Amino acid sequence: MLNCVVPRTLLNRMRQRFGNVFTSISPDFVFCCRCLEMEDSVLFYDKSPLFHYALNRSNGASVSRGEMTSDNADFTANLPVDSSKRNYATPIPELTTAVNAVFNEYFLFQQETNSPRFFEVDFEKYLKANAEEIREVGDPELRAEMLALVVAQGYHPNSDEQPSSVSRLTTPRGSIETRQRLKSLVTRITGRPAPKLASSIVARVFGTNSIDGKTEFPDVETAIAFLRDDSSGNFTTWRGQQDLLLARELPFPGKATQ
């Protein structure tokens, strides 16, 4: 239950069936698995009604970076299982990645329920998904150690595999600027549309930098001010805000009652 709006009736039915709603090491993905088992469909709302920041405080993000932050240390100290094998239901229990944590809850639920909705996992893709996250780890020694775990299980890294978007964002500034110049040159040669004018205006007004189509801000306050007041699609003037804050559950239209 991450970035979701959920009817209370679903929470009640989930509690009745499983005895609780949130449990295990990754409770949001426990909820995800249970919801996929109990519901035939979900609605994906492809808008941005909120924004988040402070990824330096995110336990999942710190795991992906291979950093032991104060929040990560607190999380590890309070784990209900042995930290060295926290993802005990996966093929590589000692591998500490956010991807492996998600698979851990998937495998656990699959074993506990034997639900036909939870298919067998493609082991090759399981290894590749973990390897892609491992490339984001900042410490070269830790990164090599973690990669060795997936290689030992049969993963074969290919030289032509592209780095993840996060890896691209952490490349040196000179490389980014060179790539941007190359992209501009390709745009002129191919005749493809140039980047939106709005991006350059934002960059000049707010002193930001554009990286791979994303915008960097000099500080958190400037980013929040832009997202709240100036970005396209913000909900500052949307009249339905108060309705959401005072939400109430209504009968589903057309649902038969007895």
Side-chain angles (χ1 to χ4, degrees), residues 7 13 46 92 100 104 116 149 197 225:
R13 287 193 291 115
D46 191 15
I92 316 178
N100 212 30
N104 187 66
L149 291 174
L197 179 61

Side-chain angles (χ1 to χ4, degrees), residues 3-5 42-50 233 235 238 244:
N3 299 333
C4 296
V5 178
V42 295
L43 176 65
F44 179 70
Y45 185 59
D46 191 15
K47 297 291 183 181
S48 301
L50 56 82
F235 285 75
W238 185 44
L244 283 178

Side-chain angles (χ1 to χ4, degrees), residues 208-238:
T208 65
N209 297 306
S210 178
I211 302 178
D212 289 346
K214 295 178 170 52
T215 301
E216 274 194 350
F217 295 87
D219 51 60
V220 172
E221 289 73 20
T222 303
I224 292 176
F226 172 75
L227 290 166
R228 184 187 61 232
D229 303 324
D230 300 293
S231 64
S232 61
N234 72 70
F235 285 75
T236 304
T237 59
W238 185 44

Side-chain angles (χ1 to χ4, degrees), residues 6 10 20 32-33 46-47 68 74 87 115 124 137 150 153 166 170 180 189 192 196 198-199 219 232 235:
V6 181
L10 174 58
N20 52 46
C32 172
C33 291
D46 191 15
K47 297 291 183 181
M68 180 55 76
D74 178 72
N87 299 315
S115 170
E124 184 177 344
V137 173
V150 294
Q153 293 292 327
V166 176
T170 57
Q180 291 297 99
I189 294 175
R192 287 180 172 272
K196 293 181 179 179
S199 298
D219 51 60
S232 61
F235 285 75

